[in-house]
Amino acid sequence: MRGGVHRVLTALAGLLLLTLGGAVLAVGLGARPPSWWPHTGPHDVLLTRAERTRLRDAPWWWPAVIAALSVVVLFALAWLTAALRRRRPAELLIDTGDGAGARLRGTALESALAAEAAAQPGVAEARVLLRGRRTAPAVRARLRLDPDAAPARTLTAFTTGTLARARESAGLASLPAEVLLSEVGHRAERVT
């Protein structure tokens, strides 16, 4: 969801800047602007000399401008960092004991965990995501249970069976997990 929001906001900002830049370029090249457009020709400026120098002598003006621009830059950098940061490891580094090591694709481990969890009795659907670093991954699993499943038994089977086998086969010292349990929606039974 977050990735989608970032992509939509970035696309909207890019579209707005592209439209404004194209309109300014078109007017600068001689296209006739609409009546409400603030620039009337290729030699028109964004701010007149009077508008640019009006607040120059106010003692609060330049600190306010610098503070506002600093906040905008910091917000843009935080947004860019959040958008570029990988939240899921693409691959895991596995110590094979021979000094060479091996790489396990994160999606392969996710789908193996999800398939094994979905095969457990009482589990209708399983989704598994890896989080963390390549050398210290963590699991986030969402298990949707059948209406007659016992949550405690299903959770125990998942943690002591599926997760334990994944940890051992990947050669990890630990594999912390967050497991979210929910039940599959079903129709209410009618009692007569």
Side-chain angles (χ1 to χ4, degrees):
M1 168 100 174
R2 278 188 196 157
V5 171
H6 284 291
R7 282 190 289 273
V8 168
L9 289 177
T10 303
L12 287 176
L15 185 62
L16 176 71
L17 291 173
L18 186 64
T19 303
L20 287 175
V24 169
L25 181 63
V27 170
L29 293 175
R32 185 176 172 162
S35 61
W36 52 267
W37 189 252
H39 304 289
T40 57
H43 300 292
D44 198 9
V45 293
L46 183 62
L47 296 172
T48 64
R49 180 181 280 293
E51 290 172 332
R52 288 192 314 259
T53 59
R54 181 179 55 168
L55 295 172
R56 182 184 294 178
D57 293 333
W60 57 269
W61 174 247
W62 289 114
V65 167
I66 291 170
L69 291 176
S70 299
V71 168
V72 168
V73 166
L74 289 175
F75 178 72
L77 287 175
W79 186 23
L80 180 65
T81 303
L84 294 178
R85 185 176 60 216
R86 288 186 79 99
R87 289 178 172 74
R88 296 171 56 191
E91 58 187 23
L92 304 177
L93 299 178
I94 297 172
D95 183 18
T96 56
D98 61 357
R103 294 181 182 178
L104 173 64
R105 295 187 68 64
T107 54
L109 183 59
E110 288 173 349
S111 46
L113 281 168
E116 190 172 339
Q120 287 180 233
V123 177
E125 181 186 351
R127 289 186 181 177
V128 176
L129 292 175
L130 285 179
R131 303 276 183 177
R133 298 185 316 271
R134 298 171 9 152
T135 55
V139 171
R140 181 180 173 138
R142 178 178 296 269
L143 304 179
R144 296 189 69 200
L145 306 179
D146 291 328
D148 57 343
R153 192 173 355 164
T154 305
L155 181 61
T156 302
F158 180 74
T159 55
T160 60
T162 305
L163 278 177
R165 281 189 292 279
R167 187 188 73 245
E168 290 170 11
S169 65
L172 299 170
S174 68
L175 186 58
E178 176 185 353
V179 182
L180 303 170
L181 301 175
S182 62
E183 70 176 342
V184 175
H186 63 283
R187 299 177 78 153
E189 293 182 21
R190 190 169 281 215
V191 179
T192 57

